[in-house]
Amino acid sequence: MLVSVGAVTFKSREDHRKQLELEEARKAGLAPAEVDEDGNEINPHIPQYMSSAPWYLNADKPSLKHQRKWKSEKNYTKSWYDRGVKLFQAKQYRKGACQNCGAMTHDRKSCMERPRVVGAKYTNVNIAPDEKIESFDLDYDGKRDRWNGYDTSTYTRVVADYEAREEARKKYLKEQQLKKLEEKDTEKDGEKDAENAGSEDDEEDGLRIDEAKVDESAQMDFAKVEKRVRTTGGGSTGTVRNLRIREDTAKYLLNLDVNSAYYDPKTRSMREDPLPDADPNDKFYVGDNQNRLSGQALEFKQLNVHAWEAFEKGQDIHMQAAPSQAELLYKSFKIKKEMLKSEHKDKIMEKYGNAASEDPIPRELLLGQSEREIEYDRTGRIIKGQDVSLPKSKYEEDVFINNHTTVWGSWWKDHQWGYKCCKQTIKNSYCTGLAGIEAAEASADLMKANMARKEAAEDEPVQQEQKRLATWGTDVPDDLVLDKKLEESLKKEAARKKEERDERKRKYNVKWNDEVTAEDMEAYRMTKIHHDDPMKEFLH
């Protein structure tokens, strides 16, 4: 019994049991496999959630089409526009064509020709041919391919240009080499005295000329670019350049010591010198670091260092983001540095002179001779002919300031320098003359008298008035004079005891003072109640 509701078919329990038995038999190979719409067998081991089609496909028969790619891809093209291709060229203006050039493929607004004074619509002269308009359906990569439509044959012009430059350079170097060798030959031919001795050298130079005239293609095979094919992975691996002549010793064979310079076979580089102890004149290879420390590599390194230091000091400079700006700043920095060095050098030469200058030295200084007659004694001292030169000081001499008539340092007293005219020991002070000297002497006398009186007062003992103070354990006399601090301590102790007797007068915030003075202890002892005292009840 089958009950169908829409596209969903419900089976009875018996039919469901038979369906399960059939599937088990198909899996065991006892029953033939199920066949789809195209007659292909369906694997019975495929799960049901994969073999059963969704309900919205309305599949009446079993099939696996819903698991396959049912959307067909567009036929994308790899072709490109034919540039410069022209189609039909009319002889008269056609309706709907461009009013400027007469082509049918565009209008006047999008015309790329020069605007004519009178358009082709009115002249019917020089009608432009129709362009070839194409439209391509490109895929995602085709729309973004920057080399799409590039003609590789145009690159042969660039290669030819570089080859022509290289040939011209080789030709120029060959001419220079031949010219130098010919000049050497002419010089040796002119030497008549060394004809026999230099015969062997002439033969060697002649051989050198012959070798230079030979085509360089046999000697310069290392500059040739070859293409390596049939590798282990198949296909070509690009271009390989032979960087040395085959007769030369390989750099990794110069020193076979294991602890010598490291050779990297992948990059064919050896940074350190394989023979550091050998004679530099005999070595033809000193390591790859030589290239890093010479030429443009060193300049580029200095440029990077300058950019880093300038960026650390706050300048907006970055070698990778703006290399042209960094190079210009570096050039301006070098120019300013040279200018500062030259200015500093000029100032030093102006101040101290230049011993290496080309200016002629005075004859008197050069030969040490003059027409002046000087007489010397036996000890070498000058007797006559030259004035005795007094030694000069770098300080100004005999210059009086601030109304002084003598210089500073002309007077000495009590380990102090001063002016002799006014006897002042303060430098750059104003001169007071004799009045100042008298005032200073009177001040000194007064100070001495004060000091003597003070010393006499210190020797005499100070008579202080003795106060009669009452302490605990002694009788209180009638003429007792209480000390002010003790009187305050007694008042404070009386207030404290009064507060202890009446708790209501105690404040909320209690301030304690732990410092106890001698007066406080004396007041406490004077007001303390002695329980053993028979007269304690009469105290208060």
Side-chain angles (χ1 to χ4, degrees), residues 327-394:
E327 188 171 1
L328 288 175
L329 288 174
Y330 181 56
K331 288 182 179 179
S332 63
F333 167 74
K334 290 197 294 184
I335 293 171
K336 292 179 181 178
K337 186 177 180 181
E338 291 296 331
M339 291 176 62
L340 288 174
K341 286 176 66 177
S342 62
E343 290 179 2
H344 187 61
K345 183 178 179 182
D346 295 340
K347 289 180 180 179
I348 292 176
M349 292 174 61
E350 182 181 356
K351 186 174 183 180
Y352 300 103
N354 186 9
S357 63
E358 297 180 357
D359 297 336
I361 302 175
R363 186 170 180 175
E364 294 82 7
L365 298 177
L366 182 63
L367 302 177
Q369 297 178 359
S370 63
E371 300 296 333
R372 182 179 297 178
E373 183 181 356
I374 303 174
E375 294 182 7
Y376 299 90
D377 59 1
R378 292 181 179 180
T379 59
R381 291 179 295 181
I382 298 174
I383 301 174
K384 180 182 177 183
Q386 186 175 7
D387 298 334
V388 179
S389 60
L390 297 175
K392 294 183 179 180
S393 174
K394 65 178 181 179

Side-chain angles (χ1 to χ4, degrees), residues 154-178:
T154 57
Y155 190 71
T156 55
R157 303 175 187 173
V158 181
V159 176
D161 188 12
Y162 277 96
E163 289 178 353
R165 292 182 186 179
E166 188 67 21
E167 290 295 332
R169 187 183 67 83
K170 291 179 181 178
K171 185 177 179 181
Y172 175 74
L173 294 176
K174 179 70 68 179
E175 292 176 356
Q176 294 293 327
Q177 187 178 6
L178 291 172

Side-chain angles (χ1 to χ4, degrees), residues 129-188:
D130 300 340
E131 296 94 350
K132 183 179 180 181
I133 299 177
E134 298 175 283
S135 61
F136 302 109
D137 193 5
L138 301 175
D139 56 353
Y140 183 84
D141 295 331
K143 292 177 182 178
R144 292 156 180 82
D145 187 7
R146 58 182 299 191
W147 297 102
N148 197 354
Y150 176 72
D151 187 7
T152 55
S153 61
T154 57
Y155 190 71
T156 55
R157 303 175 187 173
V158 181
V159 176
D161 188 12
Y162 277 96
E163 289 178 353
R165 292 182 186 179
E166 188 67 21
E167 290 295 332
R169 187 183 67 83
K170 291 179 181 178
K171 185 177 179 181
Y172 175 74
L173 294 176
K174 179 70 68 179
E175 292 176 356
Q176 294 293 327
Q177 187 178 6
L178 291 172
K179 188 176 180 181
K180 289 181 180 179
L181 293 175
E182 289 175 359
E183 289 177 357
K184 287 184 179 180
D185 290 340
T186 54
E187 290 177 359
K188 289 184 179 180

Side-chain angles (χ1 to χ4, degrees), residues 76-138:
Y76 296 109
T77 180
K78 298 292 184 182
S79 59
W80 198 246
Y81 303 99
D82 294 335
R83 298 180 179 178
V85 177
K86 304 295 184 181
L87 298 179
F88 175 73
Q89 184 174 6
K91 296 181 180 180
Q92 291 183 350
Y93 179 78
R94 293 161 292 177
K95 186 178 180 181
C98 177
Q99 298 180 7
N100 185 43
C101 65
M104 288 290 294
T105 51
H106 60 270
D107 55 359
R108 184 175 183 178
K109 184 182 294 184
S110 58
C111 184
M112 300 300 294
E113 285 194 9
R114 178 181 60 83
R116 303 181 185 181
V117 180
V118 182
K121 179 179 180 182
Y122 305 103
T123 59
N124 285 329
V125 178
N126 295 330
I127 304 296
D130 300 340
E131 296 94 350
K132 183 179 180 181
I133 299 177
E134 298 175 283
S135 61
F136 302 109
D137 193 5
L138 301 175

